[in-house]
Amino acid sequence: MGTHTDAHIVWDWNGTLFHDVDAVIGATNAAFAELGLAPITLERYRELYCVPVPRFYERLMGRLPSQAEWEVMDAVFHRHYTEHRVRCGLADGVEDLLTGWVAAGRSQSILSMYGHEELVPLVEDFGISSHFIRVDGRTGPSGGSKAEHMVRHLDALRGTVDPRRTVVIGDAADDALAALHVGAHAVLWTGGSHGRAGLEAAGVTVVDSLSEAVAEAERLAVSG
């Protein structure tokens, strides 16, 4: 793609480009069943979900899980998620949005808290890797914030991407916090892990479609 000085989007993956909310709820409830917890609805999940993820479990259990309990919960969730994930696809309209952004001479990348070794082949399997100048998944333990990962992601793009002309598009309040941490903009959409009320509390633009998110990203990036 060459060097870009125009607007840049950092896309979230899970719940944003990858419409996996059904897999997340299915895996969450399968894990809960193994752990003796009651199932949760999508609406309740969106109301309570937060990072770091152990805090989400605290909201459900009434107490923070111990380190040993968290490790079991995390492992059980990811095992079930892998089973459910195969039935999921890209969010509606994603391929056209990615193609259009690149055709306009702009750049984009992915930063996800999904494990890097699993993320990269998944993006490749959907045939969209060529649209991105970088794809980064989580390295290290799961369950934490995206902020420090965002620092490393943009550091790797230094000289190519200007944080002031960068917009993070995601489905969680943590995406907005990560953007703020590096001096970038953020747009959150309501089709993933958070309900509108939780997203609006982050103090950034909230939209109901990814096409709206891209339009808003263009406006924010141009304004600097």
Side-chain angles (χ1 to χ4, degrees), residues 25-213:
I25 297 301
T28 298
N29 283 332
F32 282 4
E34 288 197 24
L35 298 166
L37 299 173
I40 189 171
T41 64
L42 173 58
E43 291 72 23
R44 186 69 171 155
Y45 182 92
R46 285 174 167 166
E47 177 186 348
L48 296 178
Y49 181 76
C50 63
V51 294
V53 179
R55 293 288 182 185
F56 170 55
Y57 285 106
E58 180 183 29
R59 293 179 174 184
L60 292 167
M61 302 168 60
R63 62 175 178 82
L64 271 174
S66 68
Q67 183 62 31
E69 288 174 324
W70 158 245
E71 290 174 0
V72 170
M73 291 174 173
D74 189 48
V76 171
F77 171 84
H78 281 95
R79 173 163 56 83
H80 285 289
Y81 176 81
T82 300
E83 296 171 1
H84 286 266
R85 186 196 72 193
V86 297
R87 295 188 291 274
C88 299
L90 298 176
D92 290 344
V94 159
E95 293 178 76
D96 289 341
L97 291 173
L98 298 178
T99 300
W101 189 259
V102 172
R106 300 179 173 122
S107 62
Q108 55 199 335
S109 58
I110 293 175
L111 175 62
S112 173
M113 294 301 282
Y114 194 45
H116 184 76
E117 299 303 319
E118 297 163 298
L119 173 68
V120 171
L122 186 55
V123 175
E124 291 174 349
D125 286 346
F126 280 112
I128 58 174
S129 295
S130 63
H131 295 310
F132 306 105
I133 59 174
R134 189 172 182 87
V135 175
D136 282 332
R138 170 186 49 79
T139 57
S142 64
S145 173
K146 184 178 277 188
E148 292 305 319
H149 295 270
M150 187 68 72
V151 171
R152 291 191 290 271
H153 185 72
L154 290 189
D155 278 350
L157 295 173
R158 189 185 301 274
T160 301
V161 169
D162 181 350
R164 296 168 299 178
R165 298 174 67 83
T166 295
V167 181
V168 177
I169 297 179
D171 69 317
D174 190 51
D175 291 301
L177 295 176
L180 178 65
H181 191 66
V182 295
H185 304 280
V187 178
L188 304 179
W189 91 297
T190 58
S193 62
H194 280 43
R196 175 173 281 275
L199 297 177
E200 289 178 341
V204 301
T205 301
V206 178
V207 298
D208 295 317
S209 72
L210 291 181
S211 59
E212 291 177 87

